[in-house]
């Protein structure tokens, strides 16, 4: 029993530090990729290829003054970023990050907690992460913040239905909510990937995932051109940084979910070993989010609601229905 | 060329191009058709392709547009009007300015200050020549009017400094005497045009 607790704590610390570092690195990659797509160079001057820009930004964020506006609700204002960052990492607890491997004769399962309701847990944790922007916007006594949190509510009400319904069909096929079972169900090579059976569910999940992580076609919450910085208007320093670490951790989680549920997870891919395969897949989804950000304009809040409720939700329902019929026959 | 072109004050609209725009759908059926068409057309993927192509070109085909400014500079046009330069006569090394005062007279922001006196040979000597760059609007009139091509606009556009005075004194603008051999006949603002000889007309006195 003690061994399990210690193992879990070690795993949690490793996941936390690695993913937080990756989230920071993600901001660097984002700046580089966006720059290249606009024929710019991106960060160049700090360290080789501007790599140490990360450290410079980190130092800046840590040492910046932590301002709390005068009329803000201090407590809520202070804990809101922690909600976003914490839930993003809590969601990762049920994600199997790599295939099992043996270290010093001890088999390691790179998952903090193999829940039997893994997907439900991840969706729930990520959804509660949106309380961060919601509370932050309302607590800061700033009209842009209020608009930002209203948009959070809109976003939340719109995509959450689609995420759940789009994943329902694959869940029905696999018959389990654990991501490890999903992975094992697709162990037979590319032909068994869930995306061939459920292409519609994949597209819906991807769209909802972009909304869930607050990425570009649906980045209503803090769109600078419209609402200054939305819910993050009054934040500075590390509290502001926590929102973004949360956002990037969520992007990584969505990347993992998409690869595990639809793209064969960490099964060996031909000559590519499993751990490399999943890293490649997640990197691709991360790149896709940056790529989309460089290419597409974003939608209005009302368009997002229209899209989610009038287009995506009926399609998702139909998909569930058809999947059910096919399974019964 | 007639005068009409100069009198047309409607600058610009001649070159406007009206963007092609399909008709807006009127009925619901048309709206539905448009939605379906847009869905199948895959224009979003065209957008993705464009950015990916740009990234490829920028990274592998040397199409990066960034200029690392303090280390690299873009060439400026010879007609660019930056800080003035005073040129010297190539033969004698004497400054070209004859102290005629035309530049002081024409300067619309009244920022040139020139003072002259007769030297022992009864020639005019410039005793003081300053340009107040806090007032200069870089209009180029002074370079245009100068009969001797003495004052021209140089290419020195990085003008942040602790003191304006470090640009505006005659000696600072004058070509250094040891750099005389590298003084170029300035092709830019205030210089004679390349076809100046063709434009010379006989004055009526010659008839
Ligand atoms: S550029 Fe114009 S404003 Fe400046 S000194 Fe010459 S005439 Fe005066
Ligand atoms: S117009 Fe030319 S020659 Fe005359 S005073 Fe000015 S700089 Fe000298």
């Amino acid at each position: 029993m003690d061994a399990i607790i210690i193992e879990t704590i070690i795993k949690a610390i490793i996941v936390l530090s690695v993913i937080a570092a990756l989230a920071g690195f993600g901001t660097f990659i984002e700046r580089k990729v966006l720059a290249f797509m606009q024929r710019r160079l991106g960060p160049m001057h700090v360290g080789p290829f501007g790599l140490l820009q990360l450290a410079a930004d980190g130092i800046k964020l840590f040492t910046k003054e932590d301002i709390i506006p005068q009329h803000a609700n201090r407590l809520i204002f202070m804990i809101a970023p922690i909600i976003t960052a914490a839930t993003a990492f809590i969601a990762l607890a049920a994600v199997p990050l790599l295939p099992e491997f043996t270290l010093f004769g001890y088999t390691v399962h790179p998952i903090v907690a193999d829940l039997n309701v893994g997907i439900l847990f991840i969706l729930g944790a990520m959804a509660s992460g949106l309380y961060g922007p919601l509370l932050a916007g309302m607590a800061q006594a700033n009209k842009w913040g209020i608009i930002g949190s209203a948009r959070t509510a809109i976003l939340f009400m719109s995509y959450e239905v689609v995420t759940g319904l789009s994943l329902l069909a694959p869940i029905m096929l696999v018959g389990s909510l654990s991501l490890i079972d999903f992975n094992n169900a697709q162990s037979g090579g590319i032909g068994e990937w869930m995306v061939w059976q459920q292409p519609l569910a994949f597209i819906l999940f991807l769209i909802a995932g972009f909304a869930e992580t607050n990425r570009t076609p649906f980045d209503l919450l803090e769109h600078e051109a419209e609402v200054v910085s939305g819910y993050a208007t009054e934040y500075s320093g590390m509290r502001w940084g926590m929102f973004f670490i949360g956002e990037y951790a969520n992007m990584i989680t969505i990347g993992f979910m998409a690869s595990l549920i639809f793209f064969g997870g960490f099964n060996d891919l031909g000559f590519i070993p499993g751990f490399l395969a999943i890293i490649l897949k997640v990197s691709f989804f991360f790149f896709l989010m940056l790529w989309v950000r460089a290419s597409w304009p974003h939608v209005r809040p009302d368009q997002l609601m229209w899209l989610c409720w009038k287009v995506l939700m009926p399609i998702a329902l139909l998909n569930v229905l058809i999947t059910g019929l096919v399974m019964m026959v | 060329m007639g005068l009409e072109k100069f009198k047309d004050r409607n600058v610009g609209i001649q070159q406007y191009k009206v963007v092609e725009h399909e008709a807006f759908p009127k009925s619901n059926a048309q709206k539905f058709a448009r939605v379906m068409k847009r869905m199948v057309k895959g224009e979003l993927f065209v957008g993705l392709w464009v950015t990916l192509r740009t990234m490829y070109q920028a990274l592998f085909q040397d199409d990066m547009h960034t200029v690392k400014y303090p280390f690299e500079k873009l060439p400026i046009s010879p007609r660019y009007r930056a800080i003035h330069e005073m040129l010297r006569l190539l033969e004698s090394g004497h400054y070209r300015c004859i102290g005629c005062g035309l530049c002081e007279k024409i300067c619309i922001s009244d920022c040139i200050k020139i003072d002259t006196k007769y030297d022992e040979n009864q020639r005019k000597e410039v005793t003081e020549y300053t340009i107040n760059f806090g007032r200069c609007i870089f209009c180029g009139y002074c370079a245009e009017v100068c009969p001797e091509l003495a004052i021209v606009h140089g290419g020195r556009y990085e003008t942040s400094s602790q003191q304006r005075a470090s640009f505006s004194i005659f000696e600072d603008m004058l070509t250094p005497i040891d750099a005389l051999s590298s003084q170029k006949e300035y092709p830019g603002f205030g210089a004679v045009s390349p076809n100046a000889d063709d434009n010379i007309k006989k004055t009526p006195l010659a008839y």
Side-chain angles (χ1 to χ4, degrees), chain A residues 32-40 216 287-297, chain B residues 43-60 63-64:
Chain A
K32 273 292 192 196
V33 168
L34 287 186
F36 292 152
M37 289 186 168
Q38 297 161 356
R39 299 194 185 134
R40 293 184 288 112
T216 274
F287 177 74
L288 184 68
M289 292 187 187
L290 311 183
W291 188 10
V292 164
R293 174 161 183 198
S295 315
W296 293 354
Chain B
E43 277 179 338
L44 284 176
F45 295 98
V46 177
L48 284 181
W49 163 241
V50 167
T51 42
L52 193 70
R53 191 183 54 198
T54 308
M55 180 162 154
Y56 174 76
Q57 284 169 347
L59 283 178
F60 302 112
D63 196 16
M64 201 66 94

Side-chain angles (χ1 to χ4, degrees), chain B residues 84 106-109 111-112 131 136-142 153:
Chain B
H84 305 69
I106 203 169
C107 176
I108 50 173
S109 41
C111 59
I112 297 182
I131 301 181
C136 175
I137 58 167
F138 299 97
C139 62
Y141 283 4
C142 50
H153 277 288

